[in-house]
Amino acid sequence: MTIEVRVPQLPESVADATLVSWHKQPGEAVARDENLVDLETDKVVLEVPAPAAGVISEIKFKDGTTVTSGQLLALIEETASVPGASAPAVMAPADGAAAPAQDAVRAAVASPAEAGGKLSPAAKRVAEENKLDPKSLVGSGRDGRVSKSDVVNYLAAKDAPGASTPGAPTPGVSKPPAALSPPPAAVPAAPPAPKPSLRGTRAEQRVPMTRLRARIAERMVQAQATQALLTSFNEVDLHLVNELRGRYKEAFEKQHGVKLGFMSFFTKACVEALRKFPAVNASVENNDIVYHDYFDIGVAVSTDRGLIVPVLRDADQASFAEIEKSIGNFAARARAGSITMEELTGGTFTITNGGVFGSLLSTPIVNSPQSAILGMHKIQDRPVAVDGQVVVRPMMYIALTYDHRIIDGREAVQFLVTVKQCLEDPARMVLGI
């Protein structure tokens, strides 16, 4: 029986998708739920699994083609599910070519654990992208098969020190082998290359933008063309935050299984400031100002494909531990490419941390249609005057880029002052003052 493989239903905000790469070609066997093709949208990469086991008989579109919801991508000749039943010969030029294809299908269906070393194709791809040893992964599927979710759980556990505590194994994770892999065999010396010219090769390479990169470029230009953007700065003394983190670091990890980082403090400080200055949490639609009575904070995450901004919903209701866990989960799944469209839509305010890359000062661009974004930067010990004395403190510059159409300079400056006060005296966030 012929099975159709179609483009899945795309979200309303996504008009089409680009076919990135096929993982199977006509005549190749495929197992049920095995990833056939990757589709890239403006925000995420979608995997299209095989709806049934069989052999690929026809591929309708080549790599790089733009497709829409419901379009026919490929045809699969389904294999017989009853033992002894004959399977149709698919894409066979002669009668004798049908048997090898059927044998390949039976191997893919009957022993999926053996195919690819017990890793599903999607899991294998994520493991290779993150340079993981397949032997360190334990699968939760049938016969120990490792799924993509097992690899994602491994990455999340890798970022959470509490999950690696002795005596508390994490599902999908096993101890790596103690023995080191043998060194690679020596490669024969290649003949000497011709001496390059003093000016070098001066080579050029032209590659098309990915859908995500093109969308980022479009949004950044749109924000600067349609909004009156202005940036204000302040600096924060983080020594009390550091003291709190040092004092409760071990107890926090032990109880919640996650590190107490800086992002939870900054998120809570921004929520307090947004409460006092609702215009910073608002957006513009035509000639209307839309004030949001909720706090959905976007957290910028850098990936190999580009910058994405998953949204922490109702951040005002989340605890410090919940914020840290959510951000760690976002980072792990962003690297694995498993962030969903719903997690990337919406948001009323954004926080971006260029300090992790060493940035001392920057002017971030607003994530339209939002009206403001807070930029965090590198923490650096600097001499400051405190009560007439020069002391060395861990200081950070913070920046607020905002839409001057609806946010006045007074509100922007006072917003930054509120964030500064909350971080320099964290008790304010507990007391709500």
Side-chain angles (χ1 to χ4, degrees):
M1 187 173 84
T2 301
I3 302 296
E4 295 181 341
V5 180
R6 294 185 176 273
V7 177
Q9 185 64 38
L10 301 174
E12 293 182 2
S13 59
V14 178
D16 51 38
T18 299
L19 198 156
V20 179
S21 61
W22 284 97
H23 299 290
K24 294 290 183 179
Q25 296 300 321
E28 293 184 349
V30 61
R32 181 182 176 87
D33 295 329
E34 185 176 357
N35 185 27
L36 294 179
V37 61
D38 293 334
L39 302 179
E40 185 180 37
T41 70
D42 297 341
K43 297 181 179 180
V44 296
V45 174
L46 303 174
E47 294 183 348
V48 180
V55 173
I56 301 291
S57 63
E58 185 179 359
I59 287 178
K60 297 292 186 179
F61 299 103
K62 62 181 181 179
D63 294 355
T65 305
T66 299
V67 293
T68 58
S69 296
Q71 274 193 290
L72 182 63
L73 294 174
L75 297 176
I76 296 176
E77 291 299 329
E78 188 179 15
T79 56
S81 57
V82 180
S86 59
V90 183
M91 298 290 291
D95 293 341
Q102 293 176 14
D103 291 341
V105 174
R106 294 190 186 99
V109 178
S111 57
E114 298 178 3
K118 290 190 176 182
L119 269 71
S120 70
K124 184 177 181 181
R125 178 170 59 83
V126 175
E128 290 174 350
E129 289 175 354
N130 291 275
K131 299 179 180 179
L132 300 178
D133 183 359
K135 296 179 181 178
S136 66
L137 303 170
V138 174
S140 60
R142 182 186 301 176
D143 299 324
R145 185 172 177 83
V146 179
S147 66
K148 181 178 177 180
S149 61
D150 292 327
V151 182
V152 173
N153 289 337
Y154 175 87
L155 291 171
K158 195 175 180 182
D159 291 339
S164 60
T165 305
T170 302
V173 185
S174 66
K175 294 184 179 179
L180 299 176
S181 58
V187 180
K195 186 176 180 180
S197 65
L198 295 177
R199 299 185 64 182
T201 60
R202 295 174 58 81
E204 292 183 352
Q205 184 181 15
R206 185 185 297 270
V207 296
M209 285 188 181
T210 63
R211 288 288 296 266
L212 177 61
R213 176 56 57 189
R215 183 59 173 167
I216 291 172
E218 178 187 341
R219 293 289 296 276
M220 296 298 99
V221 172
Q222 178 187 19
Q224 292 189 312
T226 60
Q227 296 179 314
L229 299 182
L230 182 65
T231 305
S232 292
F233 303 92
N234 211 318
E235 62 178 352
V236 180
D237 180 354
L238 292 171
H239 85 281
L240 285 181
V241 171
N242 278 345
E243 285 183 4
L244 273 176
R245 293 178 66 236
R247 188 186 313 164
Y248 299 108
K249 175 182 178 180
E250 293 182 1
F252 190 89
E253 282 191 32
K254 184 177 181 180
Q255 182 168 343
H256 301 292
V258 66
K259 279 186 176 181
L260 178 59
F262 288 99
M263 284 303 300
S264 53
F265 285 93
F266 274 85
T267 301
K268 286 294 188 181
C270 286
V271 168
E272 292 300 320
L274 291 171
R275 282 196 176 105
K276 292 185 178 181
F277 304 99
V280 183
N281 198 46
S283 59
V284 176
E285 289 187 9
N286 300 321
N287 291 326
D288 298 327
I289 300 176
V290 181
Y291 291 95
H292 307 289
D293 293 332
Y294 51 90
F295 305 95
D296 289 351
I297 307 299
V299 180
V301 176
S302 179
T303 70
D304 293 338
R305 295 176 56 243
L307 189 72
I308 62 175
V309 187
V311 178
L312 181 62
R313 309 287 180 188
D314 298 317
D316 57 318
Q317 301 175 24
S319 66
F320 278 73
E322 289 170 340
I323 292 173
E324 294 293 349
K325 287 179 180 178
S326 295
I327 293 174
N329 182 268
F330 285 152
R333 291 193 294 116
R335 290 197 300 269
S338 59
I339 291 286
T340 65
M341 290 290 297
E342 291 74 15
E343 291 171 315
L344 296 174
T345 56
T348 60
F349 183 80
T350 295
I351 302 174
T352 181
N353 185 7
V356 296
F357 305 111
S359 173
L360 190 61
L361 197 63
S362 67
T363 55
I365 299 177
V366 170
N367 184 21
S368 178
Q370 298 173 19
S371 296
I373 181 173
L374 180 82
M376 299 167 55
H377 299 93
K378 180 182 178 181
I379 300 173
Q380 193 172 56
D381 287 343
R382 293 199 299 271
V384 294
V386 178
D387 298 329
Q389 301 293 324
V390 177
V391 295
V392 176
R393 292 288 175 81
M395 305 297 293
M396 177 193 286
Y397 291 116
I398 55 175
L400 181 74
T401 299
Y402 58 97
D403 188 351
H404 212 344
R405 293 179 301 168
I406 64 170
I407 303 172
D408 294 332
R410 174 186 61 84
E411 294 172 305
V413 171
Q414 290 181 336
F415 177 92
L416 282 178
V417 169
T418 302
V419 172
K420 173 184 172 72
Q421 290 174 341
C422 288
L423 294 170
E424 292 185 343
D425 186 6
R428 289 175 172 269
M429 292 183 282
V430 178
L431 301 174
I433 59 175

